Amino acid sequence: MAQGGVGLGTIARANGITFGTAVNSGKLGDAAYAAQLVAEAQLLVPEWEAKWAALQPRPGSFDFGPLGIIASFAQAHGKQLRGHALVWHAAMPPWLAEGLAEGAARARSLLAAHMDGVLPATRPAIRDWDVVNEAIANPEGSPFTARTPSQGDLRDTPWLRALGPGYIEEAFRLARERDRTLRLTYNDYGLEGDSPWAEEKRQRTLRLLRRLVGAQCPLDALGLQAHLLMDEPFRPEPFAAFLRSVRELGLAVLVTELDVREAQQLPPDLPSRDAAVAERVRQVIGTALDAGCRTVLTWGLSDKDSWLAQDRDVMRKDGQVHRGLPLDEAGGRKPMWQALATAFGTRRG
Ligand code: G3I
């Protein structure tokens, strides 16, 4: 249940930071869920409602129903909205994968038609999109490698197979041609940790960003999903160096999907677990804010609503629920909430 005192969004705004969170339209009828969003968030991102499977479930047939529910809620409560995601290898309706397999001309036409259908229709509400999501292949040794075949730095996806490595630049150019005022973001995960595979993924990402910027691709920002892993160490230095390199390209940096997957071997009690999660968040978000990040979104507010509690690939096998979001299952603010509040309340250059 929402609690007294100002929320994270208000604390953040006082220091020029935008805080927000993912929202699931199917849960807005839950009063406690809605109250948490109103109390804590300034910016909302649809958890699934702005993806291809939801927006264009059949060729040429657009469904803005679920997204419209979120847009109405955002408007009613004075919240901003961002879009996620125009091009991704997941949340693709079966007909799209079939269409992409027909070759480059068909793929290009499908992508242009999707943007023609979506960008003008969402223009008043959404001014910022994840244009391409998760195009970088996970390196050997990453905990995600099993499921991501690759072609060099890039993940082997239906988009890559249809259009080649240039699909990323094409997507950004198609979006910019349709709306010169949108902020266009490249979004990915696994870029924060102190591990050989995270460092390799950072280098792969930098190679992509440098290639895009060098080609005058209309790219404005890098979205760090920041699905943090407590089983992976963290040291500010390598992450800070990466963020400096991204910022030197003239790109903004956003944290787009923050949450924390707890370690396989949990600390003995809840206070220890919550303290470990809060300390990781303090370090990672502090490093991002020091590097100039001014937008931070979590992927949900309460542990109860997290994908970490529902997705078979990541939920715990010991019956525990990952305590990786600012609010506990009952909606109570945890040390992670305080870590974010302190980070947002710290004045930075
Ligand atoms: O599509 C149905 C819709 O028709 C139905 O009305 C609605 C009712 O709630 O459910 C929809 O079902 C599922 C939806 O989540 C809502 O729960 C989809 O089948 C399911 O695929 C979808 O999963 C989402 C997943 O992305 C795939 O889109 C998760 O909620 C969402 O947390 C997850 O988020 C991803 C980011 O987009 C990218 N980064 C990783 C992150 C976690 O996997």
Side-chain angles (χ1 to χ4, degrees):
M1 196 53 77
Q3 298 160 61
V6 290
L8 289 171
T10 305
I11 295 166
R13 184 166 39 198
N15 263 330
I17 298 162
T18 301
F19 172 77
T21 193
V23 52
N24 184 329
S25 56
K27 297 180 179 175
L28 285 173
D30 174 332
Y33 181 84
Q36 290 164 6
L37 292 170
V38 172
E40 302 288 357
Q42 194 188 335
L43 172 65
L44 300 176
V45 56
E47 188 164 12
W48 57 272
E49 297 81 351
K51 293 170 183 173
W52 204 306
L55 288 181
Q56 197 182 170
R58 285 168 303 286
S61 165
F62 290 88
D63 177 3
F64 292 100
L67 180 58
I69 293 169
I70 293 175
S72 302
F73 180 87
Q75 188 173 30
H77 297 283
K79 308 298 184 184
Q80 297 162 261
L81 197 54
R82 76 182 305 266
H84 167 82
L86 292 172
V87 172
W88 189 26
H89 59 274
M92 291 172 73
W95 70 264
L96 175 59
E98 291 153 19
L100 295 180
E102 291 171 25
R106 178 81 173 126
R108 205 160 275 130
S109 145
L110 288 173
L111 181 52
H114 188 67
M115 291 193 186
D116 287 338
V118 171
L119 294 181
T122 58
R123 180 190 176 93
I126 295 179
R127 310 308 309 126
D128 164 16
W129 274 94
D130 288 334
V131 175
V132 175
N133 191 45
E134 302 178 9
I136 298 291
N138 290 312
E140 279 312 305
S142 89
F144 320 101
T145 306
R147 301 195 305 277
T148 56
S150 65
Q151 285 186 27
D153 287 352
L154 297 183
R155 182 193 290 259
D156 181 11
T157 71
W159 293 102
L160 182 71
R161 290 195 291 276
L163 292 167
Y167 84 91
I168 300 166
E169 182 176 347
E170 284 202 52
F172 279 93
R173 291 194 185 284
L174 286 169
R176 176 62 77 233
E177 284 162 15
R178 282 152 182 78
D179 187 327
R180 311 206 64 75
T181 64
L182 280 177
R183 175 164 72 175
L184 306 179
T185 298
Y186 172 73
N187 194 51
D188 215 327
Y189 66 90
L191 299 170
E192 301 82 18
D194 183 20
S195 64
W197 66 265
E199 184 55 31
E200 171 56 19
K201 192 162 185 179
R202 287 191 284 266
Q203 295 312 313
R204 292 180 178 188
T205 304
L206 275 179
R207 286 194 284 270
L208 171 66
L209 298 179
R210 285 175 176 144
R211 197 163 58 246
L212 293 173
V213 169
Q216 282 82 45
C217 174
L219 165 68
D220 301 310
L222 170 67
L224 304 159
Q225 292 186 12
H227 291 296
L228 306 180
L229 308 172
M230 291 302 282
D231 272 328
E232 183 193 25
F234 177 78
R235 215 166 26 95
E237 292 73 17
F239 184 45
F242 168 69
L243 295 180
R244 274 196 304 278
S245 299
V246 174
R247 299 282 286 137
E248 282 162 8
L249 292 170
L251 300 176
V253 168
L254 293 75
V255 169
T256 54
E257 306 181 17
L258 174 66
D259 56 26
V260 181
R261 204 178 311 180
E262 290 189 84
Q264 281 304 313
Q265 186 56 46
L266 285 175
D269 54 72
L270 289 190
S272 307
R273 290 174 56 182
D274 290 347
V277 165
E279 174 58 12
R280 179 62 59 91
V281 166
R282 182 189 70 79
Q283 291 193 42
V284 172
I285 299 306
T287 304
L289 294 172
D290 286 343
C293 170
R294 289 297 178 265
T295 299
V296 176
L297 295 123
T298 55
W299 205 243
L301 287 172
S302 162
D303 298 334
K304 170 168 73 72
D305 301 308
S306 172
W307 73 293
L308 296 171
Q310 291 142 25
D311 184 314
R312 276 191 302 276
D313 288 342
V314 295
M315 64 198 295
R316 297 193 62 87
K317 308 292 185 279
D318 59 6
Q320 299 274 352
V321 172
H322 289 286
R323 293 175 67 87
L325 286 174
L327 306 180
D328 65 21
E329 291 180 270
R333 289 168 174 169
K334 290 185 290 174
M336 177 177 166
W337 184 98
Q338 189 53 56
L340 288 170
T342 303
F344 297 155
T346 304
R347 187 157 298 285
R348 299 170 198 273

